[in-house]
Amino acid sequence: MSRRGVVAATLAAVVVGACNPFAAPAGLDPMTLAPAPNSSVEVTRGSEHLEVTDRFSIEPGDVIRTSSSPARIQLLGDRRASMSQHTSIRVNGNDSLEALSGSLLVVNGDPVVILFEGVEGSTRTGVFRIDTVPETSTSTATAYSGSIDVSDGPTIPPFFELDVTEGAVGDLNPV
């Protein structure tokens, strides 16, 4: 490989490593939200609407909404999530989130529960994504590693996805 090829490969590895959505959110304390740099996230806590621009302690009951930038969440233990742009979630507990709209990527080494479209997905460890289409009552759960146990539905093995529409669980499909 030429010197130019080695430099390009090294640069690509650095860029991919820096943008890795599966990487642990460095330095986040348990039950913390971190908006992307130079952006803000809206947190609704009870009747309060807060604009968060830096690390912020989250609590069960908080509703978190991203707009034009993503955000990261650290729950208790080895449970973390990345919210895409235009995503809304509810913190249900120290180990539980509810996907309301948008895309949520979850990486967990401890058991976690995610609610979506009235269905509960739980997993001991793994990497999975929940995509919820706003105003359509449709979500898709996709497992990348580990498996997701779905209430009233099948277990989603790695590299399969499951659609849920208005609480009705569909068929498993390969990714």
Side-chain angles (χ1 to χ4, degrees):
M1 184 181 267
S2 71
R3 181 181 178 115
R4 182 180 236 177
V6 170
V7 169
T10 302
L11 181 60
V14 168
V15 168
V16 167
C19 298
N20 182 1
F22 301 111
L28 282 185
D29 294 326
M31 300 303 288
T32 303
L33 162 70
N38 303 315
S39 68
S40 66
V41 172
E42 180 185 317
V43 175
T44 302
R45 179 174 288 164
S47 61
E48 287 185 274
H49 297 282
L50 308 167
E51 182 178 351
V52 175
T53 58
D54 204 357
R55 292 180 185 192
F56 181 78
S57 292
I58 56 177
E59 300 174 357
D62 287 351
V63 174
I64 303 167
R65 290 179 185 86
T66 61
S67 54
S68 60
S69 300
R72 298 177 302 157
I73 295 172
Q74 176 71 49
L75 297 175
L76 286 184
D78 188 8
R79 300 173 182 99
R80 51 196 185 276
S82 294
M83 298 174 64
S84 185
Q85 300 172 355
H86 308 292
T87 296
S88 181
I89 66 161
R90 178 178 291 113
V91 179
N92 287 339
N94 297 331
D95 63 353
S96 179
L97 299 171
E98 181 176 357
L100 302 172
S101 66
S103 293
L104 178 68
L105 179 70
V106 179
V107 180
N108 65 301
D110 290 328
V112 69
V113 174
I114 304 295
L115 299 170
F116 56 101
E117 296 306 325
V119 173
E120 182 178 287
S122 61
T123 181
R124 291 188 174 285
T125 64
V127 176
F128 62 97
R129 189 178 78 218
I130 305 293
D131 295 303
T132 302
V133 182
E135 301 175 21
T136 65
S137 299
T138 301
S139 290
T140 302
T142 306
Y144 296 109
S145 71
S147 59
I148 306 169
D149 294 321
V150 178
S151 63
D152 300 323
T155 296
I156 308 171
F159 300 108
F160 277 79
E161 65 184 13
L162 180 72
D163 291 329
V164 176
T165 302
E166 295 180 357
V169 177
D171 296 325
L172 284 173
N173 293 303
V175 175

